[in-house]
Amino acid sequence: GAQLMESGGGSVQAGGSLKLSCVVSREPSNYRTISLAWFRQAPGKEREGVASLYSDDGDGKTFYADSVKGRFTISQDESKKTLYLQMNNLKPEDTAMYYCAAEPGWVGGAIRSNLYRSWGQGTQVTVSS
């Protein structure tokens, strides 16, 4: 399966921005047909879907959790096999460990952790008020 490595986390003040990256290596033979997503997990809370993306030689599909719509943008650079999450107007409640995930094919629009089998190790995002 795919191996994923996140980077770009850090500590920012509320209202600030961060851009997370996730390099997808040892991808399935047809990388272009893959679902990619970002999740986050705060201490004591369940893992939460943040955004997902599916691209298959046509119009890309993106989906967002209501809590991040208008503030976060998921994108990818296929030539670099890299997934991004641009996070703007960060809030203290965005503080969490952020994970990228991958699954061959199209898993649908729901951003659920049980749909993805390949995961990165996570990168910490801390937003102070």
Side-chain angles (χ1 to χ4, degrees), residues 84-103:
Y84 300 103
L85 185 68
Q86 176 67 49
M87 306 184 294
N88 297 328
N89 191 21
L90 282 160
K91 304 176 181 180
E93 50 264 42
D94 295 318
T95 295
M97 186 73 78
Y98 282 71
Y99 300 89
C100 61
E103 180 65 27

Side-chain angles (χ1 to χ4, degrees), residues 19-128:
K19 186 173 185 177
L20 306 183
S21 299
C22 173
V23 177
V24 184
S25 60
R26 292 184 61 188
E27 68 275 6
S29 58
N30 187 352
Y31 172 80
R32 297 181 71 85
T33 56
I34 188 170
S35 294
L36 299 165
W38 288 98
F39 291 81
R40 65 186 181 187
Q41 188 166 20
K45 295 188 176 181
E46 292 186 354
R47 191 164 295 191
E48 173 192 21
V50 174
S52 66
L53 177 151
Y54 176 74
S55 180
D56 181 22
D57 287 337
D59 294 335
K61 297 182 178 68
T62 58
F63 301 88
Y64 295 92
D66 288 343
S67 58
V68 305
K69 280 181 182 176
R71 299 189 298 123
F72 291 11
T73 302
I74 188 171
S75 64
Q76 67 169 335
D77 183 332
E78 292 189 6
S79 66
K80 297 180 180 180
K81 300 292 194 288
T82 301
L83 178 71
Y84 300 103
L85 185 68
Q86 176 67 49
M87 306 184 294
N88 297 328
N89 191 21
L90 282 160
K91 304 176 181 180
E93 50 264 42
D94 295 318
T95 295
M97 186 73 78
Y98 282 71
Y99 300 89
C100 61
E103 180 65 27
W106 164 235
V107 301
I111 316 171
R112 299 203 312 263
S113 58
N114 63 345
L115 299 175
Y116 295 84
R117 288 176 289 177
S118 297
W119 292 83
Q121 294 300 306
T123 185
Q124 178 68 37
V125 172
T126 303
V127 185
S128 58

